[in-house]
Amino acid sequence: LRRNSTWTTSAMSLVDVSSIKKVAQDDTGLKQQPAQPKYKGALAQIYVRSQKYGGSDKSSNGHRYDSIPFANGMIGKGMSCQLIHYTHEEHDHFFKILEQFDFIIVRCNPGQLKADGG
C-alpha cells in the first residue's frame, strides 16, 4: 500500500508507534533501523490472544516466523520496517498511525481478525 501518490526521499526518522499496544515479547534478530531511511515502512501482524503464541504462524515471541526476515530485507535496502500488531480495540488509532508510513506489508492469515474478536 502506498500512503501518497508521490514518494518522499528526504531524510526521515522512524514513525512513533509507542501509542499502540506492543504485543511481541521481543524483536530478537531484527537489524538496526537506518538512521535516515529512504522510506518508512511497517509490517503489520495480528496476534490471536486466545491461541498459543498468538496463532500457529507465530514463534514464541509473538511475531510471524517470516516477519523478521521480511523486515531485515527492507532494512538491508535502506528502508525502515517497524514491526507492529493490529488490535481491534485500537482500530481507528492504528489506522491514523499507518497514515505516517510510506508502505505497509500486511502479514495476517485468513480468519485471524475474527478469531481475535475483531
Side-chain angles (χ1 to χ4, degrees):
L1 298 173
R2 286 178 57 173
R3 179 172 61 92
N4 295 316
S5 59
T6 59
W7 292 80
T8 305
T9 57
S10 62
M12 300 174 271
S13 61
L14 297 177
V15 172
D16 181 4
V17 297
S18 63
S19 63
I20 58 176
K21 184 176 181 174
K22 172 88 172 154
V23 174
Q25 294 180 22
D26 62 63
D27 296 336
T28 300
L30 184 66
K31 293 180 179 180
Q32 184 174 347
Q33 301 285 349
Q36 297 182 335
K38 296 174 186 175
Y39 303 105
K40 296 183 285 184
L43 191 145
Q45 313 165 79
I46 187 159
Y47 184 93
V48 182
R49 291 167 267 191
S50 64
Q51 296 178 8
K52 185 175 180 179
Y53 301 129
S56 61
D57 60 334
K58 308 292 186 310
S59 61
S60 61
N61 66 2
H63 289 298
R64 286 179 56 99
Y65 291 104
D66 57 5
S67 293
I68 290 178
F70 266 89
N72 283 342
M74 301 295 117
I75 293 167
K77 293 297 182 183
M79 298 173 264
S80 68
C81 193
Q82 295 172 252
L83 302 173
I84 57 176
H85 283 81
Y86 171 84
T87 58
H88 62 88
E89 297 89 352
E90 299 177 319
H91 178 87
D92 292 340
H93 182 64
F94 184 84
F95 278 88
K96 286 286 186 196
I97 296 290
L98 290 183
E99 291 175 1
Q100 299 174 58
F101 289 100
D102 296 310
F103 68 89
I104 302 140
I105 300 169
V106 178
R107 300 294 294 142
C108 177
N109 279 356
Q112 287 187 330
L113 288 172
K114 186 175 182 179
D116 194 50

